[in-house]
Amino acid sequence: MATGRNHRPATSRSRGIPEATVARLPLYLRALTALSERSVPTVSSEELAAAAGVNSAKLRKDFSYLGSYGTRGVGYDVEYLVYQISRELGLTQDWPVVIVGIGNLGAALANYGGFASRGFRVAALIDADPTLAGRTVAGIEVEHADGLEQIIADNGVSIGVIATPAGSAQQVCDRLVAAGVTSILNFAPTVLSVPEGVDVRKVDLSIELQILAFHEQRKAGEEAPEEEETAPPAAPPAAAVTKKRSEPGPDGDVPAVMPA
Amino acid sequence: MATGRNHRPATSRSRGIPEATVARLPLYLRALTALSERSVPTVSSEELAAAAGVNSAKLRKDFSYLGSYGTRGVGYDVEYLVYQISRELGLTQDWPVVIVGIGNLGAALANYGGFASRGFRVAALIDADPTLAGRTVAGIEVEHADGLEQIIADNGVSIGVIATPAGSAQQVCDRLVAAGVTSILNFAPTVLSVPEGVDVRKVDLSIELQILAFHEQRKAGEEAPEEEETAPPAAPPAAAVTKKRSEPGPDGDVPAVMPA
DNA sequence: CCAGCTTTGTGCACGCGTTCACAAAGGCAT
DNA sequence: ATGCCTTTGTGAACGCGTGCACAAAGCTGG
Ligand SMILES: NC(=O)c1ccc[n+]([C@@H]2O[C@H](COP(=O)([O-])OP(=O)(O)OC[C@H]3O[C@@H](n4cnc5c(N)ncnc54)[C@H](O)[C@@H]3O)[C@@H](O)[C@H]2O)c1
Ligand SMILES: NC(=O)c1ccc[n+]([C@@H]2O[C@H](COP(=O)([O-])OP(=O)(O)OC[C@H]3O[C@@H](n4cnc5c(N)ncnc54)[C@H](O)[C@@H]3O)[C@@H](O)[C@H]2O)c1
């Protein structure tokens, strides 16, 4: 069950743009769109980099992968760059998206206006709960999970969003993939196993918070060096160790780090 | 207005764990917790790596930064590792968190059970809307944004979640930071500018979708090599360009890629 | 037409992260 | 007690990503 085999399948780099650059293009696009709305005709790499929160050299190198549509001494034409990046990201076409799992999060996503703004269209909302089916969320009728495959096929959906509980995520994922979905955005806290050629990106709130907590603890530990961080307390892991095996000695004791 | 200066301020590496490793620790922890609930006493790096979806050598190296609590020929003690990672991530203590912006998303977050499960506690919900103040969401009373500073101080909050519209995010961020918050999880689609020492992590749905769209387009382009990807059609960008300015010439025409 | 200024595009070096491969370590069976 | 087998911990190589620094390019003013 869920062997967890994902090799980061080739991703891009087929004949061009590095993955790190692809991840920044939406950032540039957003900044450029804002400039466009303010009718700014051109921007320098320095200005745009500041707006996107990146290094200007990095930005220039990123754009060079697209073919570099800049003018030396002047900068980049905003409108033209907006179009070029949009085209590169595939936003000039319409991407129908299904959301599976219309609970707290799924409903919020359905109500989110940020979808339609950039080429994404919520084609269907799907949930396994029979009492939800037929209800309308964000002006779209929730359909029962039984018709998942048909919905995917009818709408030519290739991008799916999973917002079900973790326990159902792999199963939903399998059905989506079998029905033809090749890109998945996963909000459930699970590692999804997918065949090669299917892209999975995850959004995981818990992980983000835990990373923040780590740094937070680090900061606190640096401020107050004599706290309880460095000092190895004899306090055992509470109810952590259920069946204490043949522990060589250190329980909450000295870390016993003995480099070879 | 949002000069966008963020240098990736030192982050970790102060005296140890690489950032990439920190980002994976929550993943390991989740897999280990699942094993713990099934009363599995030990795991090999191979098994655990599979469950977490990573390379086993990477996992072993990651654990080596923690001090390597494994037994050769056997593997790692699940319970002990759960405790060690939890301690390293700072999850053995309680982190009060405030959520600012109780709209669609903020309410979903407040209702999310995944917070309390791992040391995080929603200390307060804050919104600027007077009609929301006093209402109860997820059993917690929404407080007005006027009291933000007081709430932060009273609860000793150091982690803040921003779920307001993009336009308010920087302003909310500034107030949070001024009030003492040093870690921010931002859901608004904006680049936040913060002073050094403050960590910001962002969750951006639009960016994730756009990255997926890029790969999706790439896949489609590879399948049908004679489509409209490589061939530069004379078709204009449809409704993409709102106000067509003094375009230098190429509209949907030949890309004019002229390498130096 | 030329000089000077601005800004791009990129060669290069460096550091981080990933992965392979293997020696050392420890348990277990005999 | 000894040898075998499993698995860890890590040295080393490699590749990607980042940022510096600069030459080339293009605009503008004279
Ligand atoms: N709410 C949040 O803020 C938040 C934050 C981070 C992560 N998450 C994760 O997102 C997921 C959804 O969270 P939520 O709070 O919306 O949960 P929820 O319980 O409110 O909603 C889950 C929905 O999925 C539906 N569902 C269950 N099994 C299904 C299936 N097999 N097919 C189709 N639909 C199915 C349920 O009927 C329910 O409507 C969870 O995995 C949660 O861990 C939520
Ligand atoms: N809904 C989603 O699924 C989703 C997905 C991705 C990103 N986002 C982003 O998350 C943010 C919130 O989305 P949403 O759908 O919940 O929007 P929303 O409009 O439903 O909620 C925003 C809330 O923020 C409050 N607010 C506004 N200014 C404030 C301020 N200065 N201080 C405190 N509170 C303030 C508003 O009163 C409102 O209740 C937006 O930036 C959106 O782009 C939302």
Side-chain angles (χ1 to χ4, degrees):
Chain A
M1 46 192 76
T3 38
R5 182 193 323 172
N6 48 353
H7 287 286
R8 181 87 30 126
T11 48
S12 71
R13 195 168 44 271
S14 300
R15 197 213 61 202
I17 307 177
E19 189 60 25
T21 295
V22 173
R24 280 188 294 268
L25 289 181
L27 227 52
Y28 302 145
L29 182 56
R30 181 175 294 158
L32 284 165
T33 303
L35 291 171
S36 173
E37 282 168 2
R38 284 167 39 203
S39 298
V40 177
T42 59
V43 263
S44 68
S45 63
E46 205 71 53
E47 293 170 313
L48 186 55
V54 301
N55 182 292
S56 67
K58 196 188 299 185
L59 178 143
R60 288 198 298 276
K61 186 154 290 188
D62 283 343
F63 285 175
S64 79
Y65 292 116
L66 307 184
S68 292
Y69 308 98
T71 306
R72 295 171 189 231
V74 177
Y76 298 90
D77 185 289
V78 172
E79 298 294 340
Y80 193 52
L81 208 43
V82 164
Y83 171 67
Q84 289 299 341
I85 294 179
S86 295
R87 191 176 56 83
E88 196 66 50
L89 286 172
L91 305 181
T92 50
Q93 57 183 286
D94 190 74
W95 294 103
V97 172
V98 295
I99 303 176
V100 186
I102 314 302
N104 286 313
L105 183 60
L109 294 174
N111 276 301
Y112 181 46
F115 272 111
S117 68
R118 285 261 151 236
F120 299 97
R121 178 174 51 85
V122 179
L125 306 178
I126 302 176
D127 201 291
D129 189 342
T131 64
L132 269 177
R135 281 215 45 170
T136 298
V137 174
I140 304 171
E141 191 173 329
V142 178
E143 304 182 56
H144 191 268
D146 287 347
L148 186 145
E149 284 79 8
Q150 194 62 48
I151 296 167
I152 303 285
D154 288 351
N155 295 84
V157 174
S158 57
I159 299 178
V161 176
I162 297 180
T164 68
S168 311
Q170 182 63 56
Q171 174 194 341
V172 167
C173 173
D174 290 343
R175 287 184 65 185
L176 286 174
V177 170
V181 167
T182 47
S183 285
I184 289 175
L185 183 53
N186 180 32
F187 285 87
T190 331
V191 177
L192 290 181
S193 176
V194 293
E196 262 208 23
V198 177
D199 280 304
V200 175
R201 295 192 68 86
K202 68 169 190 289
V203 173
D204 198 315
L205 175 62
S206 300
I207 288 183
E208 299 301 325
L209 282 177
Q210 288 174 37
I211 294 172
L212 285 177
F214 172 86
H215 292 304
E216 203 57 42
Q217 178 179 239
R218 163 93 28 145
K219 292 176 204 163
E222 280 172 358
E223 276 175 19
E226 202 77 36
E227 190 70 36
E228 53 178 342
E229 227 284 292
T230 321
V241 180
T242 313
K243 178 180 62 177
K244 203 162 296 178
R245 290 175 45 79
S246 65
E247 293 253 351
D251 185 8
D253 211 344
V254 189
V257 182
M258 193 178 300
Chain B
M1 47 188 77
T3 39
R5 182 192 325 173
N6 47 354
H7 285 286
R8 182 92 25 131
T11 47
S12 70
R13 192 167 48 271
S14 300
R15 198 214 56 204
I17 305 177
E19 189 59 26
T21 296
V22 173
R24 282 188 292 268
L25 290 182
L27 227 52
Y28 301 146
L29 182 56
R30 181 174 295 157
L32 285 164
T33 304
L35 290 171
S36 173
E37 283 169 1
R38 286 167 36 204
S39 299
V40 177
T42 58
V43 265
S44 69
S45 63
E46 205 70 51
E47 293 170 312
L48 186 54
V54 302
N55 183 293
S56 68
K58 195 189 298 184
L59 177 142
R60 287 198 299 274
K61 186 152 288 189
D62 283 343
F63 285 175
S64 79
Y65 292 115
L66 307 185
S68 291
Y69 308 98
T71 308
R72 296 172 186 229
V74 176
Y76 298 90
D77 184 290
V78 171
E79 299 294 338
Y80 193 53
L81 208 43
V82 164
Y83 171 68
Q84 290 299 341
I85 295 179
S86 295
R87 191 176 57 83
E88 196 65 49
L89 286 172
L91 305 182
T92 50
Q93 59 184 283
D94 190 74
W95 293 103
V97 172
V98 295
I99 303 176
V100 186
I102 314 301
N104 286 312
L105 184 61
L109 294 174
N111 276 301
Y112 182 43
F115 272 110
S117 69
R118 286 259 152 240
F120 299 97
R121 179 173 50 85
V122 179
L125 306 178
I126 302 177
D127 201 291
D129 188 345
T131 64
L132 268 177
R135 281 216 41 172
T136 298
V137 174
I140 303 171
E141 193 172 327
V142 178
E143 305 182 55
H144 192 269
D146 287 347
L148 187 144
E149 285 76 9
Q150 195 62 48
I151 295 167
I152 303 284
D154 288 349
N155 296 85
V157 174
S158 57
I159 300 178
V161 176
I162 298 180
T164 68
S168 311
Q170 182 64 55
Q171 174 195 340
V172 167
C173 173
D174 290 343
R175 287 184 64 186
L176 286 173
V177 170
V181 167
T182 47
S183 285
I184 289 175
L185 183 53
N186 179 33
F187 283 87
T190 332
V191 177
L192 290 182
S193 178
V194 294
E196 263 208 20
V198 177
D199 280 304
V200 175
R201 296 192 67 86
K202 69 167 189 291
V203 172
D204 198 315
L205 176 62
S206 300
I207 288 183
E208 299 301 326
L209 281 177
Q210 288 174 36
I211 294 171
L212 286 177
F214 172 85
H215 292 304
E216 204 57 42
Q217 178 178 241
R218 163 95 26 149
K219 291 177 206 164
E222 280 173 358
E223 275 176 22
E226 202 75 35
E227 191 67 37
E228 53 179 344
E229 227 288 292
T230 322
V241 181
T242 313
K243 180 181 60 179
K244 205 163 297 180
R245 288 179 43 78
S246 64
E247 294 255 351
D251 186 7
D253 212 343
V254 190
V257 181
M258 193 178 301

